[in-house]
Amino acid sequence: MQYIDNIIFLILLVAGFGLFAKSLLKIYRNIRLGHEINRNDRKGERWGTMARVAMGQSKMTARPVAGVLHLFVYVGFVIINIELIEIIVDGIFGTHRFLSSIFGHTFYNFFTATLEVLALLVVIGVVIFFIRRNFYGVKRLTMKELFGWPKNDANWILIIEFALMMAFFKMNASDFILQTRGIFPEHGSFPISEMTLVPFLEIFSFDSGFLMFTEKAAWWFHFVGILFFMNYLYYSKHLHIILAFPSTWYANLNKKGKFNNLDSVTKEIKLMMDPNADPYAAPAEGAEADTPSKFGAEDIFDLNQVQLLNAYSCTECGRCTSVCPANITGKKLSPRLILMKTRDRLEEVGRNIDKNGKFVDDGKKLLNDYITKEELWACTTCNACTEACPVLLDPLSIIFEMRRFLVMEQSAAPQELNLMMTNVENNAAPWQYNQADRLNWAAEN
């Protein structure tokens, strides 16, 4: 019976990481529903971009207050969870503060003191974020599209992080008092806990048995809380703490506003311009026809894998929507909502596959059932959204592909655009006058 705690700990550890791995595999499967795209060029630039943007938080500083607070939470929470290594070893083998024997007395004191300071910064960050999100009235955080689950999800994340940090301080405060009483060996330095929780615990003169229970309860809460948080990520916008890294690696490094051309269309135009080409010639033996089955995107299957990765990586911060000129002028378009709706449709398709073993047509599409034509045509393609995104996501590319489907598959462009394309076809210019009259303006002057 003396090893029952270790056995329970090991079961929870395996179950927690096993469920987390299962969730990651499901996300990976869903992302692979999109078609492949080669984004493995310019590796040096991609490594630099990922290190600068995902790890270095460089684009967060565009809004300094939010950027600094996010840095507190990001750096603090990540480094504090290095202690998870110590918790795992202590939990499996029944040791107490295992890293103290590895680091030595002086460095371990520095290590634990640093963790305490970072934990305090995390607490400050999440409290201010909670106030900003719920009481301060930041417009991009109070839009209608965040009502319901998105807002609750963001608040739950802040509450979980606050609770984990409080458990961390409570564990350290109890441990410190037990060390001063000679029950635990002296390992670690806990400046924040000493100034805050230790005086409170000493006022009530709790006996050592109660303090040992408190320390162990906080330790277990911290461990189980981390496992819960880790598995909650699948259902949360906070997947970005993991997926921001591959998203920045696979980001589009071309100049903003440069759209991709379809090889099949390019080939068709070259055939039209080559007087010696035979447009009806069969493909060479062994060659594959390069005409796509569909132009543009009607559903998530028509998007590429990076676009689907972007949908999962969206932080829902709303920076893209806050700078969108269409949204600012009252139009229906919200770049953030484009990514959120793409993710919702992707999750719906994933549940369909889980239920049936393969995708069974459900009569729904991303176009119209999730994203409307009104939203798509409101976009000015100014790239403000992609420029503003702190993790280099590209909602514009999804809009563009869905527009391409409307134009090339359904001939459903707005009348103004159809008129422009007709003029280009007939007059080699977007204006409705004959080519022979093009220089009349010069004669008039």
Side-chain angles (χ1 to χ4, degrees):
M1 293 295 293
Q2 61 176 325
Y3 299 112
I4 188 67
D5 286 354
N6 309 77
I7 295 171
I8 293 174
F9 180 91
L10 191 58
I11 291 172
L12 289 174
L13 182 68
V14 172
F17 276 90
L19 290 173
F20 181 60
K22 182 180 179 181
S23 297
L24 290 182
L25 288 174
K26 187 178 293 187
I27 292 170
Y28 178 71
R29 180 206 63 190
N30 290 351
I31 290 173
R32 284 181 60 83
L33 294 174
H35 60 80
E36 293 185 7
I37 180 172
N38 185 6
R39 289 273 178 87
N40 288 310
D41 58 334
R42 300 153 71 176
K43 286 184 171 58
E45 189 174 351
R46 293 190 181 280
W47 279 114
T49 300
M50 184 175 70
R52 185 179 67 257
V53 178
M55 186 173 293
Q57 308 280 291
S58 62
K59 297 202 70 176
M60 291 296 296
T61 55
R63 300 179 187 236
V65 174
V68 170
L69 292 173
H70 189 274
L71 192 64
F72 286 172
V73 176
Y74 168 73
V75 174
F77 196 74
V78 169
I79 293 179
I80 286 168
N81 282 320
I82 292 176
E83 192 189 25
L84 185 61
I85 299 171
E86 183 174 62
I87 289 176
I88 290 173
V89 174
D90 287 347
I92 294 175
F93 298 102
T95 54
H96 183 72
R97 294 196 175 273
F98 161 76
L99 288 179
S100 62
S101 62
I102 304 297
F103 290 164
H105 181 75
T106 302
F107 185 73
Y108 189 73
N109 284 354
F110 171 78
F111 172 69
T112 52
T114 301
L115 293 186
E116 288 244 318
V117 172
L118 290 173
L120 178 63
L121 294 178
V122 172
V123 169
I124 293 172
V126 297
V127 168
I128 295 177
F129 277 142
F130 189 87
I131 294 171
R132 287 178 78 246
R133 183 170 288 274
N134 294 281
F135 305 107
Y136 188 66
V138 179
K139 184 178 179 181
R140 63 189 171 91
L141 301 178
T142 55
M143 292 180 174
K144 185 177 180 180
E145 62 203 52
L146 293 184
F147 289 1
W149 170 248
K151 180 178 180 178
N152 293 336
D153 169 47
N155 284 333
W156 275 117
I157 286 292
L158 296 174
I159 292 169
I160 291 170
E161 291 178 345
F162 180 84
L164 288 174
M165 295 304 101
M166 288 298 100
F168 177 72
F169 286 133
K170 193 174 182 180
M171 176 184 72
N172 286 345
S174 302
D175 199 320
F176 175 79
I177 296 174
L178 291 169
Q179 288 182 30
T180 60
R181 295 180 183 179
I183 296 173
F184 284 164
E186 293 187 11
H187 294 308
S189 175
F190 315 110
I192 308 302
S193 298
E194 285 184 51
M195 290 187 294
T196 55
L197 291 182
V198 168
F200 173 79
L201 293 174
E202 288 183 332
I203 287 174
F204 294 96
S205 301
F206 290 121
D207 61 44
S208 298
F210 178 81
L211 290 175
M212 290 184 70
F213 172 80
T214 301
E215 189 271 343
K216 185 56 70 174
W219 183 90
W220 274 101
F221 182 89
H222 191 74
F223 168 66
V224 174
I226 289 172
L227 294 183
F228 174 80
F229 178 83
M230 185 170 64
N231 283 281
Y232 177 71
L233 290 180
Y234 175 78
Y235 307 96
S236 167
K237 68 168 187 147
H238 272 65
L239 266 174
H240 74 267
I241 66 176
I242 299 172
L243 298 184
F245 290 90
S247 286
T248 50
W249 166 270
Y250 290 114
N252 185 4
L253 299 181
N254 293 325
K255 292 182 179 179
K256 297 290 187 295
K258 181 180 179 180
F259 294 118
N260 66 308
N261 293 319
L262 295 178
D263 292 337
S264 56
V265 176
T266 302
K267 181 180 178 181
E268 192 71 20
I269 292 173
K270 288 180 178 180
L271 285 171
M272 293 170 63
M273 298 180 68
D274 183 358
N276 299 316
D278 180 4
Y280 302 104
E285 186 177 351
E288 295 183 3
D290 60 357
T291 302
S293 59
K294 185 184 295 183
F295 294 105
E298 182 185 21
D299 206 353
I300 57 102
F301 303 101
D302 308 317
L303 296 172
N304 66 52
Q305 292 173 3
V306 173
Q307 290 167 327
L308 300 185
L309 172 64
N310 282 185
Y312 272 123
S313 305
C314 179
T315 71
E316 298 178 13
C317 67
R319 294 190 182 204
C320 54
T321 296
S322 69
V323 298
C324 174
N327 188 274
I328 291 171
T329 54
K331 294 182 176 61
K332 192 175 181 180
L333 174 65
S334 168
R336 166 173 58 189
L337 200 53
I338 294 293
L339 289 172
M340 291 170 67
K341 288 178 176 179
T342 302
R343 181 179 61 208
D344 289 344
R345 172 58 179 164
L346 185 55
E347 277 294 290
E348 182 179 51
V349 170
R351 290 191 295 271
N352 184 310
I353 295 173
D354 291 338
K355 179 180 178 180
N356 301 299
K358 62 178 181 178
F359 179 70
V360 176
D361 188 8
D362 58 1
K364 295 182 181 180
K365 302 290 183 183
L366 180 62
L367 179 62
N368 294 325
D369 290 301
Y370 284 84
I371 299 174
T372 65
K373 297 175 184 177
E374 181 183 353
E375 293 172 87
L376 297 174
W377 291 116
C379 178
T380 66
T381 66
C382 68
N383 276 288
C385 56
T386 59
E387 188 65 39
C389 181
V391 288
L392 304 181
L393 307 185
D394 190 5
L396 177 57
S397 67
I398 296 176
I399 294 172
F400 182 77
E401 288 300 329
M402 297 184 76
R403 278 184 172 186
R404 176 180 272 165
F405 175 83
L406 289 172
V407 173
M408 299 185 70
E409 291 283 344
Q410 295 187 340
S411 299
Q415 182 179 356
E416 298 85 353
L417 187 57
N418 282 330
L419 179 61
M420 182 274 292
M421 289 189 289
T422 300
N423 289 334
V424 169
E425 182 179 359
N426 295 332
N427 306 322
W431 301 282
Q432 196 170 8
Y433 54 76
N434 192 282
Q435 293 185 56
D437 299 329
R438 185 173 293 179
L439 294 179
N440 287 352
W441 67 273
E444 293 174 0
N445 294 324

CSV table of all heavy atoms in Angstrom, one decimal, residues 4 58 154 160 167 179 189:
chain,number,residue,atom,x,y,z
A,4,ILE,N,0.9,3.2,-3.3
A,4,ILE,CA,-0.4,3.4,-4.0
A,4,ILE,C,-0.4,4.8,-4.6
A,4,ILE,O,-0.9,5.0,-5.8
A,4,ILE,CB,-1.6,3.3,-3.0
A,4,ILE,CG1,-2.9,3.4,-3.7
A,4,ILE,CG2,-1.5,4.4,-1.9
A,4,ILE,CD1,-3.2,2.3,-4.7
A,58,SER,N,7.6,38.6,-31.4
A,58,SER,CA,8.0,39.9,-31.9
A,58,SER,C,6.8,40.8,-32.4
A,58,SER,O,6.8,42.0,-32.3
A,58,SER,CB,9.0,39.8,-33.1
A,58,SER,OG,8.4,39.0,-34.2
A,154,ALA,N,-12.0,31.7,-23.3
A,154,ALA,CA,-10.9,32.6,-22.9
A,154,ALA,C,-10.8,32.8,-21.4
A,154,ALA,O,-9.8,32.8,-20.8
A,154,ALA,CB,-11.0,33.9,-23.7
A,160,ILE,N,-8.0,29.0,-15.1
A,160,ILE,CA,-7.1,27.8,-14.9
A,160,ILE,C,-5.7,28.2,-14.6
A,160,ILE,O,-5.1,27.6,-13.6
A,160,ILE,CB,-7.2,26.8,-16.1
A,160,ILE,CG1,-8.6,26.2,-16.2
A,160,ILE,CG2,-6.1,25.7,-16.0
A,160,ILE,CD1,-8.8,25.5,-17.5
A,167,ALA,N,-1.9,27.4,-6.6
A,167,ALA,CA,-1.5,26.1,-6.1
A,167,ALA,C,0.0,26.0,-5.9
A,167,ALA,O,0.5,25.5,-5.0
A,167,ALA,CB,-2.0,25.0,-7.0
A,179,GLN,N,10.1,23.2,6.1
A,179,GLN,CA,11.6,23.2,6.1
A,179,GLN,C,12.1,23.9,7.4
A,179,GLN,O,13.0,23.5,8.0
A,179,GLN,CB,12.1,23.9,4.9
A,179,GLN,CG,11.9,23.1,3.6
A,179,GLN,CD,12.5,23.8,2.4
A,179,GLN,OE1,13.5,24.6,2.5
A,179,GLN,NE2,11.9,23.6,1.2
A,189,SER,N,14.4,28.4,-2.7
A,189,SER,CA,14.1,29.8,-2.1
A,189,SER,C,12.8,30.3,-2.7
A,189,SER,O,12.5,30.2,-3.9
A,189,SER,CB,15.3,30.7,-2.6
A,189,SER,OG,15.0,32.1,-2.2
